[in-house]
Amino acid sequence: MQEKEAIKKIEQLRKEIRHHDYLYYVLNNPEISDTKYDKLLRKLKELEEKFPKLVTPDSPTQRVGGTPLDEFGTVRHSKPMLSLDSAIKEEEILRFDERIKRELETGEVVYVAEPKLDGLSVELIYENGYFVRGSTRGDGVIGEDVTENIKTIRTVPLILRSSEKNIPKMVAVRGEVIMHIKDFENFNKMLVENGYQPLANPRNAAAGSLRRLNPKETAERPLDIYFYEIMDSQGLSIETQLEGLDYLSKWGLRTNGFIETCNDSQGIINYHHKMEEKRETLDYEIDGVVIKVNKIDFQEKLGQKSRSPRWAIAFKFPSRKEETQILGITVQVGRTGTLTPVALLKPVDVGGVTVSRASLHNQDFVNIMDVRIGDFVKVGRAGDVIPEVTEVIKSKRNGKEKKFYIPKNCPVCGSNVVKDGAYYKCAGGLSCIAQLKRSIAHFASKGAMDIEHLGRKSVELLVDEGLLKRVSDIYRLNKEDLLSLPRFAEKSAENLIESVEKSKDKNLARFIYALGIPNVGEHVARVLADKFGSLDKLKEAKIEDLVQIFEIGPEIAESVNSFSREPNNLEEIEHMKSLGVNAISEVSSKKPDTLMGKTFLFTGSLTQFSRDEAKRIVEELGGRAVSLVSKNVDYVVVGDNPGSKYEKARKLNLECIDENKFKQILGK
Ligand code: IVH
């Protein structure tokens, strides 16, 4: 065959293959059998082998053309890839709809409702219809160049279909790379059979697969993609999101089949319910729905915040409860000796996070739920974060389950365990290594003596190696001892010693908090420091003196007093004093109590203070800063973009003030 003839034939084959790719991968409606398709592809390969000059990067044979990389290059996105604000409650959707209509000054807004695909967001660039670059979201501005890997996804056309809509000079589109649930399960099976750890969920599998440095490996992973957004284009003007979606599918970029429109919050809520039911039948994961204002000029009017558009919201599904089994119950010893039973679970993916432990709180909880070792249970995540056992599936019991009782002796130090209200406590105090480690970590924590480089892990090591036998030993650490440990090098040892030195100058309030007296949090510690002015005075305080103080009730008074009567504690304080901790000898210069008895709440962002700073100032002047709206709040300080607290505060008729008024009250 002559080259001229080959050119024609090759072009014809490619066209045919692309057409069948589109029917198969995008429309899910093939016209020819796999054997016939393979034949076409083989023919094309043969011709390209004969005429290697005629191979082009967009040829269907070139999906796995890339060579392995050492690392991914970076790509600046055509426009920042924003993320979405999210809502979980229907109320939040009511407010979203209200805000949009208020800001647009119209009662008529069309929303486009789409499934929220749970995968990995990518940007694809097509120039004159040719796929030229694909990147991951990265930090939203710069992502990783995964062009070669994206080419291996069969649903991604290497050339846009041009028959029906004009192809712009450049178009940047956004979509979600996913792995189908079935494919994920098979893939995990294969991993386990080959001795590898299984992956937690399809999203992690998709992300890991797309980020292989060798595109051949990505090609072996069954990835798929849905497109949902035209991010940028040259030579194209779109008026609505629906029109954008229409362009995408006409170009052969597959969009999701469950997209609908709604006009108000009720419509959105109905769609959410419908998709939540549908979710169970889908062969890919969705974790909510995405609601977008349809008209682009409305979108532009509404604008965006730094990381998310103000015209869209993700309305998430409540996190799923998953079934798993309790393999054992272990007992954790807290800073003040409280024993907490913790369920050791057969690892299970709950809403994208692998959960293998869940607190069972105390013996009463265990008894009331009747949780036993070996039980099958449902596990959820409280507030979408903390794992919790929500249900025991008693019908699955086989009689071999074992009841659990808090041990009579501390599992760490063997001391007696005593009952204290609903809790059981180890009586070992700081002779119990578990309590010692937690006390030291608390002493060094940010709100306390703020000793950088002395986090939980280092404390663990230093206690295990015998360098810290009591809290005051922190001030006996020296560089040579640290250097003898495997985790410390010259620089890290110096850093730790330096931050220990720095902590000697922290103020009295921090020191009192650092002592870890039960019931004495940061705020109470500040009140005590202000009231007594020195540690010596505080040590002498009688319960009667303490309860006189506003905000100090009998429980706190009792805790403080019994702490001061304990000789071990006094000895520790003396050690620290002689080792140079200044707070102990300091007589604090008390600031005036101008805000005594006043409670503040902050909402929205302040421009002249950080939230923490503002709270600290209020507390230094004797006031309180809280985060829950209630009748007890005296002032609500409202910054930019206030949250729902502002509305609640207004409903309660609380006094709302702006930042300037707040400064006046502080006397600044
Ligand atoms: S729109 C400016 N639509 O959800 C528009 N995102 O935080 C931004 N996602 O990172 C995205 N399905 O990866 C949009 N139909 C959909 C989506 C979707 C899934 C992902 C996306 C984004 C995350 C939201």
Side-chain angles (χ1 to χ4, degrees), residues 626-639:
V626 295
S627 48
L628 280 183
V629 185
S630 78
K631 288 202 306 286
N632 302 330
V633 173
D634 296 291
Y635 296 106
V636 179
V637 184
V638 185

Side-chain angles (χ1 to χ4, degrees), residues 490-513:
E490 193 74 18
K491 188 78 198 139
S492 48
E494 268 169 24
N495 285 343
L496 176 54
I497 299 293
E498 196 181 311
S499 26
V500 168
E501 276 306 307
K502 264 211 242 159
S503 78
K504 290 181 179 172
D505 291 323
K506 298 279 162 173
N507 63 25
L508 180 61
R510 278 176 176 272
F511 183 73
I512 295 174
Y513 172 61

